[in-house]
Amino acid sequence: MKTARELEIPVRTWVPDRIAVATVFLIMLPIAMLNGTYTGSMVEVSNTLGVYTEDITIGYYAASAGMAVSYPIVPKILGALSGKSLLLADLVLQFFLSWFCARQANIDLLIAASFVIGFLKGFLMLWVIRRIKFIFSPKDVRSEFYAYFYPLVFGGGQLSMVITALLAYHYDWKYMYYFMMLLLLVAILAVILFFRHDRPSRPIPWKELHPREMLIIATGVLMLIYVITYGKTLDWMASRRICTYIVIAPLLVAIFLWEQFHSTHPFVSLKPLFQWKAILGYFYMMMVMFFSTSTSLLTSYLTTILRVDNTHSYTLYIWLLPGYLAGAFICFWWFRWQRWRFRFLIAGGMGCFALFFGMLYFGISPDSTYEMLYLPMFLRGVGMMVLIIAFALFAVEDLHPKYLLSNAFFLITFRSVLTPVIASAFYSNTLYRLQQKYMVELSETLTATDPLAATRWQSTLGSSLAQGHGIDEATQLANNTLYTILQQQGTLLALKDILGWLFAVTLVIAVVSRFIPFHKTVRVPVIRTGEDMI
């Protein structure tokens, strides 16, 4: 293992190397889990504060947008401040922002706080990456580093959802913020005790931070997220705010891109957008995140059909973690051995998604069990990790190192912000419309002449009367029972419809990917880690 000096960890002279490395991972732990809002508690927050579940969703993705916007200036800040000053300032701000989110009921302020939390996470993330990359890959090989780093980051995100759901169920949704504050406090104390100031801090010219460009793109992206997230809830053009944002958001994005294209010192270089490998990598990773976001359909199946509580719904995501590990293990040895073509790996990763959707399509029913979902979740984790690592490498193969941070900006914006938001809105809208469609079709045959419906109605009516309910109330209960059955059947048919299409699409993409010549040779170029955080 490398020493703390070789890893550039600014610890005091009496601190052992193992303690120094452990402190870096202690700092990384809350970073991987930290967010402004936590989707694992969205039901509890919605019920407690009387807000939409979309309010929690937009806060979650606002943090990702904040990380994307911070990337281009992160190296400048890290180069100007001492490590201890940066860590203390950032961690303390994160502590108070978590406290603010726990006490906040205003959604607009919560979204703003989430964006700032994500913005600050970018500085901590690159500081940690610069130290741990040589721990995971002493030779600084990007594929080896990603095989360790991606499972940690994505696994931390999934773990935070599970912990949030458990804390919200057993205590209160605010306890996740208190839990994160405790982790941050431990990290702050470790920095104070073990770290030293390695160099004096120096000021940074205000122009080098590009505050105007950051404000323009941050506003534009947040407006786009708002429009996509709240479209169905606010009935699209019936909302004056959505109408305004639809006009302003594309205009701000266009202004930003035009300025970056013509600027001699741009905030973000547009060069990655002119590299075919980068574009293909973005496209595939957007597809991966689009298919991965389909777990919202699984949540609907668990809560509506199987009647599983919110805690068990999110606990199911634990099975993604061994999938992440298996996918990372495959990528690690695939790129080290270099014996098979890249397209086989891509076809295999997309095939895992096809198996995921196929098992759900043929497996879900009112009689299915919770346990039958373990294997599909594992396969989804494998496919997602394989494709994310593979295309993170593919996108930067022909890219000049000075454009790596610009590549990270576009990749995170497309992969972790816009695509999941679009996918969530797509699945939500599609499921809702198909539910209504199938409920209408089923209700046309749900009459007194239907023996099954009549038997269920008479059974509920008789049991209600036996319990002492009046005839009117018993009739209403019997009608409600039939409506619940109708709703469950409509939801199941809608899920089958969507999952069937997703199964067919992913299967076709897996087959097509087998024949796409991503590389002309078997061997994939071995490239160094570089200064990016994708």
Side-chain angles (χ1 to χ4, degrees):
M1 186 181 74
K2 290 182 176 290
T3 64
R5 182 183 296 274
E6 291 173 328
L7 296 173
E8 298 182 2
I9 304 174
V11 292
R12 302 182 190 275
T13 55
W14 56 268
V15 177
D17 291 336
R18 292 185 182 277
I19 298 296
V21 172
T23 303
V24 173
F25 283 99
L26 188 64
I27 295 170
M28 183 180 177
L29 179 61
I31 298 173
M33 299 172 62
L34 191 64
N35 215 301
T37 58
Y38 300 91
T39 54
S41 62
M42 66 166 57
V43 175
E44 287 78 6
V45 177
S46 178
N47 293 336
T48 304
L49 300 182
V51 298
Y52 297 119
T53 55
E54 286 81 3
D55 296 333
I56 311 303
T57 303
I58 193 173
Y60 182 83
Y61 292 120
S64 299
M67 289 186 68
V69 172
S70 71
Y71 283 177
I73 67 167
V74 167
K76 298 176 182 178
I77 300 295
L78 295 186
L81 301 178
S82 71
K84 185 172 183 177
S85 299
L86 173 77
L87 292 173
L88 284 179
D90 205 318
L91 290 170
V92 169
L93 285 173
Q94 297 282 21
F95 179 89
F96 285 108
L97 283 168
S98 294
W99 175 83
F100 176 82
C101 291
R103 310 281 295 182
Q104 189 54 244
N106 187 302
I107 297 304
D108 291 333
L109 293 177
L110 194 61
I111 294 170
S114 298
F115 178 86
V116 176
I117 286 175
F119 187 86
L120 294 173
K121 277 179 66 174
F123 302 100
L124 295 172
M125 188 62 76
L126 184 55
W127 187 92
V128 169
I129 287 174
R130 286 181 173 179
R131 273 77 195 170
I132 67 173
K133 65 180 181 179
F134 291 109
I135 299 174
F136 293 144
S137 179
K139 295 182 179 180
D140 196 23
V141 178
R142 183 182 290 264
S143 59
E144 294 181 358
F145 172 64
Y146 280 178
Y148 288 100
F149 181 70
Y150 269 111
L152 286 176
V153 174
F154 282 92
Q158 294 298 331
L159 194 60
S160 71
M161 294 172 61
V162 176
I163 294 174
T164 303
L166 291 173
L167 289 174
Y169 178 78
H170 292 289
Y171 301 101
D172 187 74
W173 61 270
K174 295 181 180 179
Y175 275 74
M176 184 59 190
Y177 293 103
Y178 300 149
F179 175 72
M180 293 307 305
M181 290 167 66
L182 179 62
L183 293 181
L184 289 167
L185 187 59
V186 172
I188 291 169
L189 291 175
V191 171
I192 294 173
L193 290 175
F194 302 136
F195 283 15
R196 58 179 173 82
H197 291 285
D198 53 341
R199 65 174 185 273
S201 301
R202 61 177 178 81
I204 305 174
W206 185 248
K207 287 186 178 180
E208 291 187 11
L209 298 180
H210 301 275
R212 180 174 173 275
E213 290 91 332
M214 282 196 293
L215 179 62
I216 290 175
I217 191 60
T219 305
V221 170
L222 288 176
M223 285 183 175
L224 285 176
I225 295 174
Y226 185 94
V227 170
I228 298 169
T229 303
Y230 286 102
K232 179 173 70 71
T233 305
L234 301 180
D235 196 19
W236 297 102
M237 296 306 173
S239 169
R240 183 176 299 177
R241 178 181 285 192
I242 285 184
C243 292
T244 304
Y245 287 177
I246 285 178
V247 175
I248 297 177
L251 183 62
L252 291 176
V253 173
I255 291 173
F256 174 80
L257 294 176
W258 186 87
E259 288 186 348
Q260 303 316 297
F261 184 77
H262 292 88
S263 175
T264 55
H265 300 286
F267 170 62
V268 174
S269 174
L270 302 185
K271 292 292 184 179
L273 298 181
F274 298 98
Q275 294 276 350
W276 77 268
K277 280 190 174 182
I279 294 299
L280 186 59
Y282 298 163
F283 176 72
Y284 259 88
M285 277 194 275
M286 288 172 69
M287 286 197 299
V288 170
M289 295 309 297
F290 183 87
F291 296 139
S292 297
T293 311
S294 63
T295 46
S296 60
L297 301 176
L298 199 57
T299 303
S300 178
Y301 168 69
L302 289 169
T303 55
T304 306
I305 309 299
L306 296 187
R307 298 294 183 181
V308 175
D309 59 71
N310 192 52
T311 304
H312 284 84
S313 297
Y314 282 99
T315 305
L316 181 65
Y317 295 153
I318 285 288
W319 287 92
L320 288 172
L321 301 184
Y324 290 161
L325 294 177
F329 180 83
I330 292 170
C331 285
F332 182 91
W333 290 107
W334 187 286
F335 291 110
R336 171 169 284 194
W337 286 341
Q338 299 273 356
R339 294 178 182 175
W340 305 281
R341 291 190 180 275
F342 184 78
R343 59 174 177 257
F344 295 151
L345 180 66
I346 304 306
M350 196 59 68
C352 288
F353 275 102
L355 285 173
F356 169 69
F357 291 122
M359 293 178 72
L360 292 181
Y361 175 73
F362 293 106
I364 62 172
S365 70
D367 299 325
S368 299
T369 62
Y370 179 82
E371 289 74 20
M372 61 83 64
L373 300 173
Y374 293 165
L375 182 58
M377 293 300 288
F378 172 80
L379 291 172
R380 204 216 83 177
V382 174
M384 177 180 173
M385 191 54 57
V386 165
L387 294 172
I388 288 292
I389 293 176
F391 281 106
L393 295 169
F394 182 79
V396 298
E397 282 180 359
D398 296 335
L399 202 61
H400 194 281
K402 70 179 181 180
Y403 301 129
L404 287 177
L405 284 172
S406 297
N407 171 67
F409 169 83
F410 290 115
L411 185 55
I412 297 299
T413 301
F414 292 140
R415 184 193 70 194
S416 301
V417 182
L418 295 180
T419 303
V421 173
I422 294 171
S424 296
F426 171 81
Y427 291 129
S428 176
N429 284 311
T430 305
L431 182 61
Y432 174 77
R433 293 185 183 280
L434 288 176
Q435 279 177 322
Q436 302 306 309
K437 170 190 171 183
Y438 286 117
M439 284 183 68
V440 170
E441 292 179 359
L442 291 171
S443 63
E444 292 175 353
T445 59
L446 196 67
T447 63
T449 59
D450 184 352
L452 291 176
T455 302
R456 180 63 64 90
W457 190 87
Q458 289 290 348
S459 175
T460 306
L461 179 67
S463 62
S464 299
L465 290 172
Q467 293 173 6
H469 296 286
I471 184 63
D472 293 335
E473 189 176 0
T475 303
Q476 184 62 44
L477 290 173
N479 292 338
N480 290 343
T481 299
L482 287 185
Y483 178 80
T484 301
I485 296 172
L486 191 67
Q487 187 181 41
Q488 289 179 342
Q489 292 298 318
T491 301
L492 186 61
L493 289 172
L495 289 172
K496 287 274 190 179
D497 196 334
I498 299 172
L499 291 171
W501 280 105
L502 290 174
F503 171 57
V505 170
T506 50
L507 187 61
V508 170
I509 294 175
V511 174
V512 171
S513 299
R514 160 63 179 80
F515 299 100
I516 296 177
F518 295 100
H519 294 94
K520 295 181 180 179
T521 61
V522 174
R523 298 188 65 82
V524 177
V526 177
I527 52 179
R528 303 306 169 191
T529 301
E531 283 290 303
D532 71 344
M533 298 169 288
I534 61 175

